[in-house]
Amino acid sequence: MCIRDSPNNVDEWIKRLKIVQNDEHILVKTFGEALTQIEPRKASKGLDKVWIMFADLYKGHDDYKNANLIYFKATKVPFRSIDELTNVWSSWAEMHIQIRNYQDAFSILKQSLFKKPQLNSSEKSVHADSLGHCLKLWTFYLDMEVNFGTVETVKAAYKRVIDLKVATPILISVSYTHLTLPTIYSVQISVVAVSLKK
């Protein structure tokens, strides 16, 4: 099967990208051809991988401006599955975590979960509004809150997850541990300190 006969076959495009990966000029051109010719609603599984690979190309050269631009464009694509859109948002946030740009990673996750997509009726994807109920993105966001937020923002985030009925028993048990351990350790340290003074 060739791309000419099946332009929406993502696997074939990925094969071609791997073939030309040593010639950066042709590689960039091929990414452009792939993302222009593939119709998202008709694409085979894995279109998110092409967008992420394209962003990775620029990330590999520390060109985060273009990598961000590619990720931004990818978030507007009407992917066929919620998982593909989720992978794009997650990968974008992970890129910023890798370069210790935590604030932007936080902002990206907030945007994915809280901001309504600005798509017209012909572009709107069935799953575009579903990101707000995506467990993978919420788990990522909650992890960021636990590490960089305050007790108040962590509690508010977990309350939102429960209200949305996204929370799982494991997620709640982990949250309980995070919110109670500092208090438990604080009490234990106080007890030890008092015993040492005696």
Side-chain angles (χ1 to χ4, degrees):
M1 183 181 295
C2 67
I3 290 173
R4 187 180 302 170
D5 296 329
S6 184
N8 295 311
N9 188 314
V10 175
D11 288 336
E12 291 301 317
W13 278 107
I14 290 176
K15 286 178 187 176
R16 178 175 287 189
L17 289 166
K18 288 179 179 178
I19 289 170
V20 301
Q21 64 184 346
N22 293 325
D23 188 322
E24 201 160 291
H25 176 73
I26 296 176
L27 182 59
V28 171
K29 183 181 176 183
T30 306
F31 271 117
E33 291 172 352
L35 297 173
T36 300
Q37 293 182 39
I38 296 172
E39 296 179 58
R41 294 184 186 281
K42 296 180 180 179
S44 60
K45 188 177 179 182
L47 181 55
D48 57 311
K49 293 177 185 175
V50 178
W51 282 99
I52 293 169
M53 286 168 65
F54 196 16
D56 282 345
L57 175 64
Y58 288 99
K59 185 176 77 172
H61 292 288
D62 295 331
D63 184 353
Y64 296 103
K65 181 179 179 180
N66 276 312
N68 277 320
L69 180 60
I70 291 164
Y71 274 120
F72 177 75
K73 287 182 178 179
T75 64
K76 307 298 181 187
V77 174
F79 292 102
R80 291 182 64 184
S81 77
I82 185 70
D83 289 339
E84 289 178 305
L85 185 57
T86 298
N87 289 340
V88 167
W89 282 103
S90 296
S91 182
W92 191 6
E94 285 166 3
M95 178 185 78
H96 284 280
I97 289 173
Q98 288 167 5
I99 57 174
R100 300 179 185 277
N101 191 357
Y102 303 117
Q103 198 57 48
D104 279 355
F106 223 156
S107 296
I108 288 164
L109 290 171
K110 284 181 180 178
Q111 187 177 350
S112 72
L113 289 166
F114 306 131
K115 188 175 181 181
K116 291 290 183 183
Q118 301 297 312
L119 299 173
N120 62 45
S121 57
S122 63
E123 295 176 318
K124 193 167 184 179
S125 169
V126 174
H127 60 269
D129 293 327
S130 302
L131 283 178
H133 291 79
C134 177
L135 180 60
K136 180 178 178 179
L137 287 173
W138 269 110
T139 303
F140 197 166
Y141 175 73
L142 291 170
D143 187 52
M144 292 289 289
E145 276 287 8
V146 166
N147 284 287
F148 303 105
T150 65
V151 172
E152 288 73 24
T153 61
V154 171
K155 285 181 177 178
Y158 276 103
K159 183 179 184 303
R160 181 80 178 264
V161 171
I162 292 169
D163 290 344
L164 289 171
K165 298 180 179 178
V166 177
T168 62
I170 293 176
L171 199 61
I172 296 303
S173 66
V174 169
S175 73
Y176 180 79
T177 302
H178 280 302
L179 292 174
T180 58
L181 274 179
T183 305
I184 293 169
Y185 287 143
S186 161
V187 171
Q188 288 177 339
I189 289 169
S190 298
V191 170
V192 170
V194 170
S195 65
L196 286 173
K197 286 180 181 178
K198 292 180 178 178

